[in-house]
């Protein structure tokens, strides 16, 4: 698909661009950016969560403090169509806050409660979108926020 592809360069792109942009959009509920990176299934799940928040009159005001351990855990071919994918993991220090939409008042979470969370993603490259200047054809097929524990 891309004769110039190499995993070192892709890992650097993951660490410096894709993962930070995706996680920031996830944390703040930026559906425009999420739609750009996520395939339909994970996008629909997150969009439904955002809709629930809006219906409750709150919004996410969380923050990503640090992203570490962004690595390609494995690569494989997904059957039945033998789609090449990478499984990517990351460890993230984050603050999860929710505020009331009308007043900005804190509704849930705490600025002092720093969490260490793990994320896993399955990413592929869509040949038809390789010329996309933003994503270069990369698409997240699965997006999972795993365990989270207090960092302090």
């Amino acid at each position: 698909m891309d004769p110039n592809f190499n995993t070192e360069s892709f890992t650097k792109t993951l660490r410096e661009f894709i993962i930070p942009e995706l996680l920031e959009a996830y944390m703040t509920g930026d559906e425009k950016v999420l739609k750009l990176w996520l395939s339909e299934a994970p996008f629909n799940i997150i969009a439904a969560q955002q809709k629930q928040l809006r219906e409750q009159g709150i919004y996410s005001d969380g923050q990503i403090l640090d992203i570490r351990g962004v690595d390609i855990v494995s690569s494989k071919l997904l059957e039945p169509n033998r789609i090449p994918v990478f499984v990517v993991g990351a460890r993230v220090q984050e603050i999860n806050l929710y505020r009331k939409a009308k007043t900005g008042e804190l509704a849930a979470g705490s600025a002092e409660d720093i969490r260490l969370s793990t994320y896993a993603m399955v990413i592929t490259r869509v040949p038809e979108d390789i010329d996309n200047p933003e994503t270069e054809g990369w698409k997240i097929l699965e997006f999972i926020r795993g365990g989270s524990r207090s960092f302090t």
Side-chain angles (χ1 to χ4, degrees):
M1 192 180 314
D2 180 357
N4 298 317
F5 177 83
N6 73 58
T7 55
E8 287 179 28
S9 171
F10 178 55
T11 301
K12 182 177 180 181
T13 300
L14 283 167
R15 286 182 182 144
E16 295 177 3
F17 179 63
I18 296 173
I19 302 303
E21 182 166 304
L22 177 67
L23 291 178
E24 184 68 30
Y26 174 70
M27 185 64 62
T28 61
D30 186 336
E31 291 184 21
K32 181 181 174 190
V33 172
L34 290 169
K35 190 161 191 77
L36 186 67
W37 289 105
L38 297 173
S39 65
E40 188 175 350
F43 175 79
N44 288 341
I45 291 168
I46 294 170
Q49 293 168 345
Q50 291 301 314
K51 182 180 178 197
Q52 284 181 331
L53 290 174
R54 284 190 301 274
E55 288 171 352
Q56 294 174 28
I58 59 177
Y59 67 95
S60 174
D61 191 27
Q63 185 179 4
I64 301 291
L65 302 175
D66 188 40
I67 301 171
R68 302 242 172 152
V70 175
D71 287 306
I72 297 171
V73 177
S74 68
S75 58
K76 52 181 80 179
L77 295 173
L78 288 183
E79 299 297 341
N81 299 329
R82 301 185 54 78
I83 299 169
V85 298
F86 292 104
V87 178
V88 177
R91 292 183 318 276
V92 180
Q93 291 177 21
E94 59 191 19
I95 297 173
N96 297 297
L97 291 176
Y98 297 90
R99 297 190 182 276
K100 295 180 182 178
K102 290 184 179 181
T103 65
E105 181 184 343
L106 188 63
S110 165
E112 290 78 37
D113 185 21
I114 299 171
R115 311 293 299 172
L116 179 61
S117 300
T118 56
Y119 288 85
M121 290 143 265
V122 176
I123 188 170
T124 192
R125 202 160 195 195
V126 179
E128 300 80 33
D129 292 338
I130 256 181
D131 293 328
N132 180 314
E134 184 82 22
T135 66
E136 297 179 347
W138 294 107
K139 200 61 127 173
I140 311 292
L141 300 177
E142 294 288 336
F143 179 80
I144 299 135
R145 181 174 184 255
S148 180
R149 63 177 174 81
S150 182
F151 184 70
T152 54

